[in-house]
Amino acid sequence: MKITFLCLGSRGDVQPYVAIGKTAIAKGHSVTICTGKTFQKFVEQNGLVFQECSIDLMALLQTKEGKQMFDEGMKHPIKAMKYAKKVVNPLFRKAMTEFYHICKTVDVIVYHPKAFAAVDIAEKLDILCISMPPVPIICPIEKFPNLAITTKNLGAILNKLTYQLFNLGAESNNIKDINDFRENELFLRKRKAGVYMTRRNNLQLPIIYPISPNLFLDVKEFSKEFKNNVVLTGFPILEDTESLDQDTSNFLNEGKKPIVITFSSMPLKDPESFISKIRSALIKTNNRGIILIGNSGIQMSSDKVILFKDYISHDLILKNAKGIVHHGGVGTMAAALRSGKPQVIMPFNVDQPFWAKRLFDLGYTSQPLNEKSEEDEFMTSFRSMDHNEIIQQAEKIAKTIHQEKPNEKAVEQIEQLYEKWNNKHE
């Protein structure tokens, strides 16, 4: 089976596909990852074929205009819309053509919702297409509203409606380009925005959520609604091929285990003030820290209390941590859960507030914080990481998640869907 993964976004978006792709290769399948050039080395280091996509969202974030759109898009919506129309949308349109040429010789397309026109391409080529969103954000359910819209339970009817609104809006800014692509390259008729988010020609579109079902076992209605529409295969695990740099190894060997703080692509509003508060909280609780800078905007030098690093693999560094403070992005959250270490979530936007509340309600994190939380609140969270019951709870969920075999389940599901597809088309 020839599988192509179409994935756009951050490292947290791309890594699950790489992990599943490695397992698929081990089972004898051919796998290609199509994403932005930022991830070429990462993909190829893991033994997968890389195909470049013109829209490199991480590279865009490094530009002045991209940073402004991401950091301040809500404050300056008109400016953000102009930038999207001038720069981002044309790249999405170019990517559709690239996706089409790459997929002409494959058997299965597995795609991230940001990879617009994936289903349109599968329709043209008459091949299997599987939606694999990194978070449960596509399939309408009654128990929870769409994570990108609100974390407040609106009731069964309105909860389901939020998914329909999201699915309609997800393609609304790009539907003109999608229809241009359909008419002029695929030679298909125009379509409306959102119609291919959960359906394909009036049939249910296969959806795999690469998230742990163990985070939802307490909600029977939620699991029941998912059962007939999607499959939860668990958080994909990518075995580390990296090793710690000497600077980090030295810091770890010079004292007690540190609290690791990471916000990945999330920007802080006032990095200097935040770090001052964190430094004081660490010192007063007799702790040390490692801060992964990412896109936070932090520009500070390391000392005996805090080591600043641009990037370290989460799975690699978190197993050496005493505890973790993070933004609640699904990839970071999965690594934090796997580490078996106490954690606190400081959510910023999109699905992060949902995970912060969800894990707190389940007892897997302490009370969620935010950038404006007081120093005393961070001190309370740091001290809680020494409590035996919290440590045991973290170790318990880690053990459960490690037993899920998520990569294998995801590949098995793709294989079953492919067999089912072929049986219908014989």
Side-chain angles (χ1 to χ4, degrees):
M1 184 169 47
K2 295 181 179 178
I3 308 169
T4 288
F5 291 89
L6 306 178
C7 45
L8 304 175
S10 66
R11 168 88 178 225
D13 291 304
V14 176
Q15 182 163 315
Y17 295 87
V18 173
I20 294 169
K22 284 190 71 172
T23 301
I25 287 176
K27 295 189 69 175
H29 302 297
S30 172
V31 177
T32 297
I33 302 281
C34 180
T35 187
K37 189 172 179 61
T38 294
F39 300 106
Q40 179 172 359
K41 182 179 179 182
F42 171 55
V43 170
E44 293 179 342
Q45 281 181 335
N46 282 284
L48 306 173
V49 175
F50 171 82
Q51 285 285 349
E52 183 178 351
C53 170
S54 288
I55 183 159
D56 188 337
L57 296 179
M58 294 308 294
L60 285 175
L61 278 178
Q62 301 308 310
T63 66
K64 180 181 178 181
E65 295 83 0
K67 280 180 177 290
Q68 287 178 340
M69 187 181 79
F70 187 79
D71 298 352
E72 302 180 8
M74 296 299 290
K75 295 180 182 178
H76 307 286
I78 295 177
K79 186 183 293 186
M81 287 173 64
K82 285 182 178 179
Y83 177 73
K85 186 175 181 180
K86 180 181 177 181
V87 178
V88 182
N89 289 356
L91 292 175
F92 271 115
R93 174 63 183 87
K94 187 176 181 181
M96 296 175 201
T97 299
E98 294 165 343
F99 292 157
Y100 182 36
H101 288 298
I102 291 166
C103 293
K104 283 182 177 179
T105 59
V106 306
D107 302 308
V108 182
I109 298 172
V110 181
Y111 73 99
H112 188 292
K114 290 193 186 87
F116 296 132
V119 184
D120 305 88
I121 292 168
E123 178 188 353
K124 175 65 177 180
L125 300 176
D126 194 28
I127 59 176
L128 175 62
C129 189
I130 302 169
S131 176
M132 189 181 282
V135 294
I137 207 168
I138 299 295
C139 181
I141 59 168
E142 296 179 352
K143 191 62 183 178
F144 297 119
N146 188 286
L147 315 185
I149 295 179
T150 181
T151 58
K152 184 178 180 181
N153 194 327
L154 304 175
I157 295 175
L158 290 180
N159 282 347
K160 291 195 77 169
L161 180 61
T162 61
Y163 291 88
Q164 296 168 12
L165 292 173
F166 175 82
N167 290 342
L168 178 63
E171 294 180 326
S172 59
N173 291 331
N174 301 86
I175 191 60
K176 183 178 179 181
D177 287 331
I178 292 171
N179 280 327
D180 176 75
F181 174 63
R182 282 178 66 89
E183 287 190 303
N184 296 308
E185 295 190 51
L186 301 183
F187 305 107
L188 299 173
R189 290 182 296 178
K190 290 183 179 181
R191 66 170 176 83
K192 294 180 180 180
V195 296
Y196 279 179
M197 295 297 285
T198 59
R199 310 286 294 178
R200 174 181 175 180
N201 296 332
N202 297 319
L203 296 176
Q204 179 70 34
L205 182 69
I207 301 174
I208 296 174
Y209 286 151
I211 58 177
S212 173
N214 283 288
L215 298 186
F216 302 102
L217 293 181
D218 63 315
V219 187
K220 294 181 180 179
E221 296 89 345
F222 192 83
S223 301
K224 185 178 180 181
E225 285 183 285
F226 268 172
K227 190 173 182 180
N228 297 324
N229 299 307
V230 301
V231 176
L232 282 69
T233 54
F235 298 118
I237 299 174
L238 183 64
E239 296 298 331
D240 273 311
T241 57
E242 306 172 43
S243 57
L244 290 173
D245 62 277
Q246 193 60 52
D247 194 27
T248 303
S249 295
N250 290 342
F251 185 83
L252 291 172
N253 292 331
E254 288 169 356
K256 60 170 59 179
K257 288 187 175 183
I259 294 171
V260 174
I261 301 170
T262 174
F263 304 126
S264 296
S265 60
M266 294 294 105
L268 292 167
K269 293 180 179 179
D270 188 350
E272 188 172 339
S273 175
F274 178 76
I275 294 303
S276 176
K277 179 167 49 182
I278 290 296
R279 179 185 298 278
S280 180
L282 287 170
I283 292 172
K284 290 179 179 178
T285 57
N286 193 28
N287 281 297
R288 303 188 307 154
I290 293 180
I291 296 182
L292 307 185
I293 295 171
N295 193 47
S296 64
I298 296 169
Q299 295 180 337
M300 296 183 185
S301 300
S302 301
D303 55 30
K304 292 184 178 181
V305 177
I306 302 177
L307 174 69
F308 293 95
K309 302 296 292 185
D310 289 329
Y311 168 80
I312 306 176
S313 162
H314 282 143
D315 281 309
L316 186 61
I317 190 60
L318 296 188
K319 63 186 178 184
N320 293 290
K322 169 184 176 177
I324 308 151
V325 179
H326 64 92
H327 60 300
V330 67
T332 307
M333 179 190 69
L337 288 169
R338 282 195 296 269
S339 74
K341 303 299 173 67
Q343 59 178 298
V344 58
I345 299 179
M346 196 179 108
F348 288 72
N349 53 36
V350 196
D351 60 312
Q352 297 160 19
F354 170 84
W355 293 121
K357 183 178 186 303
R358 186 79 188 130
L359 265 62
F360 175 69
D361 289 345
L362 291 171
Y364 300 144
T365 67
S366 55
Q367 180 73 44
L369 301 176
N370 59 62
E371 186 175 346
K372 293 183 178 180
S373 294
E374 299 294 332
E375 179 184 310
D376 286 351
E377 295 177 272
F378 282 97
M379 290 173 61
T380 298
S381 289
F382 294 166
R383 289 188 177 114
S384 73
M385 294 173 181
D386 290 316
H387 297 168
N388 286 333
E389 61 271 24
I390 290 178
I391 294 172
Q392 291 170 2
Q393 189 76 337
E395 292 173 345
K396 180 180 178 181
I397 185 60
K399 183 177 180 181
T400 299
I401 284 179
H402 277 286
Q403 292 174 342
E404 289 177 344
K405 296 185 177 180
N407 301 17
E408 291 81 358
K409 287 182 180 178
V411 175
E412 288 171 5
Q413 185 63 22
I414 294 170
E415 291 171 337
Q416 291 171 15
L417 288 168
Y418 182 60
E419 182 179 359
K420 185 177 179 180
W421 174 270
N422 282 341
N423 290 337
K424 285 186 176 179
H425 287 72
E426 286 182 351

